[in-house]
Amino acid sequence: MVEIKLHNTRTRKKEVFTPIDASNVRMYVCGPTVYDRAHLGNARPVVVFDVLNRLLRHVYGEDHVTYVRNFTDVDDKIIARAEESGREIGQITSETTQWFLDDMAALGAREPDHMPRATQYIPQMVLMIEELIAGGHAYAAEGHVLFAVESYSKYGALSGRTVKDMIAGSRVEVAPYKRNPMDFVLWKPSTGDQPGWDSPWGYGRPGWHIECSAMAYELLGESFDIHGGGNDLMFPHHENEIAQSCCAHPHGDFARYWMHNEMLQVEGRKMSKSLGNFFTVRDLLDQGVPGEVIRFVFLSTHYRKPMDWTEKKAEQARKLLKRWAIVPKEAGKVPREVVGALANDLNTPQVITELHRLEALGEFGALSASLKFLGIDLSRVGEWGLGWGLSSPWDSLIGFKIAERNRARIEKNFKQADEIRNGLAVAGVLLMDGPMGTDWELTPEFDPKKLESLK
Ligand code: AMP
Ligand code: ZN
């Protein structure tokens, strides 16, 4: 069996992954709060954990993995959106949930096995809160229930902080009913149009964190293998999930491997509405950027590194995938090197290097099988057209020369590799080597006749 290694945020080390039960590998990933279209950053954890899901299924078997990703459909941002728009909460959340599923499907993400919605798990949350109170880990005050962080000595261990540091370093909401300013809400009162449920503490609704603890317990049990999300969730959300779950179920481990993806930026800057560089996945798809291109650009950066979305990368990916779409159709298997690179803490940039190697060696069956395994479906490339990220009629000849040069490089025939590069340069085609492979540009001296003569 292939050995998988994953970087565990909890231990800050890359560790060999050993599932609790190899016949049912279990993973939970925090999903979106549904009140608006997913922005491009929201798609990053979806793609990262989709790749991990595919790897786990490849290694342990299609039916031996349970992947859960939730929808947060009760939240103050949703309530605010309903008030602004005059629409029903249920309408907003169901519409947004469907948008999310459609947009993520366009990026080639498979649906998780379970997609629990918070509002469907209120009784389980109430039960867990009761257990926390009974165990001395939570207290009711003024219609609220709060988790007492001082009752859990390991609070802060995931992100490596102490309660004192956290008070100093974060904007904690001070409230008269809190014993410690770091105590966080498990349940709060609802009034008027706010969504609410009857509970032992009055009519109200859950705080954000308890839903993941309750749903993970219900669907995956008190100990499971992998918990994932963006690294912005590490504190406070994941610290709070751990505190709730480990105190309510002291015999379980909750999650053993914690994985966090780094954030996405746009053209080198944080994506934000005020910088005017904020856009949704749907915006890109509507502009004609294929989902396969978006996915490939994501894969070109390792998940633990900040990922910079640039139009240039999207253009490069489009050119490359168009070239790979026309390689001869042959049956093939995903080679060991590709699985090995993924098994090494999801080293997707290394996988891309391997794909170039397969192309250069003419192993087209293996190349196609690997693309499919990565969730990149090139069957619709014919519909992409030229459009955004214009490609030239010289695409395939230049692509052929690049593959020929890659082959020469693999064979350490650097003289021939240089000759190919120089021949293209003389024809006015400039090669540039980068993380997505070799890109090219036509210079003002471009001469199609000279290019043709290289055939
Ligand atoms: P939210 O709906 O804000 O709770 O976010 C849903 C998911 O998107 C979480 O896993 C976040 O960590 C992730 N996320 C939000 N913004 C970004 C970003 N800029 N880059 C990568 N992931 C993000
Ligand atoms: Zn969560």
Side-chain angles (χ1 to χ4, degrees), residues 37-40 43 46-47 98-109 278-298 309 311 314 318 321 377 380 383-389:
R37 283 270 183 201
H39 64 64
L40 194 61
V46 175
V47 171
Q98 194 53 51
W99 284 346
F100 184 84
L101 293 175
D102 294 345
D103 294 351
M104 298 308 130
L107 302 187
F278 180 95
F279 49 87
T280 65
V281 174
R282 182 50 53 183
D283 291 334
L284 278 185
L285 295 170
D286 287 349
Q287 283 164 26
V289 185
E292 295 82 355
V293 166
I294 301 174
R295 185 174 177 97
F296 194 82
V297 171
F298 277 22
W309 171 268
E311 272 193 26
R318 178 195 284 260
L321 294 181
D377 173 8
R380 295 187 309 124
E383 300 159 28
W384 289 2
L386 288 176
W388 193 92

Side-chain angles (χ1 to χ4, degrees), residues 64 127 285 390 399 403:
H64 299 293
L127 181 65
L285 295 170
L390 229 106

Side-chain angles (χ1 to χ4, degrees), residues 28-31 70 72 208-209 211-213 227-228 233 237-238 241 258:
Y28 185 97
V29 175
C30 297
N70 67 308
T72 300
W208 169 32
H209 316 290
E211 71 179 75
C212 290
S213 289
H227 193 311
L233 298 183
H237 183 56
H238 289 161
E241 282 189 33
W258 282 83

Side-chain angles (χ1 to χ4, degrees), residues 29-35 39-46 49 72 77 100 208 228-233 238 261-265 270-271:
V29 175
C30 297
T33 304
V34 278
Y35 63 101
H39 64 64
L40 194 61
N42 296 139
R44 191 170 191 203
V46 175
F49 292 101
T72 300
K77 282 184 270 196
F100 184 84
W208 169 32
N231 67 356
D232 57 327
L233 298 183
H238 289 161
N261 63 276
E262 255 289 349
M263 294 290 101
L264 175 130
Q265 304 177 327
K270 186 177 173 197
M271 180 163 67

Side-chain angles (χ1 to χ4, degrees), residues 63 93 125 148 168 181 225 282 415 444:
D63 301 326
T93 57
M125 294 188 225
D225 299 299
R282 182 50 53 183
K415 188 162 162 276

Side-chain angles (χ1 to χ4, degrees), residues 246-264:
C246 292
C247 291
H249 307 290
H251 302 298
D253 298 332
F254 191 39
R256 294 193 171 178
Y257 298 81
W258 282 83
M259 293 178 66
H260 292 96
N261 63 276
E262 255 289 349
M263 294 290 101
L264 175 130

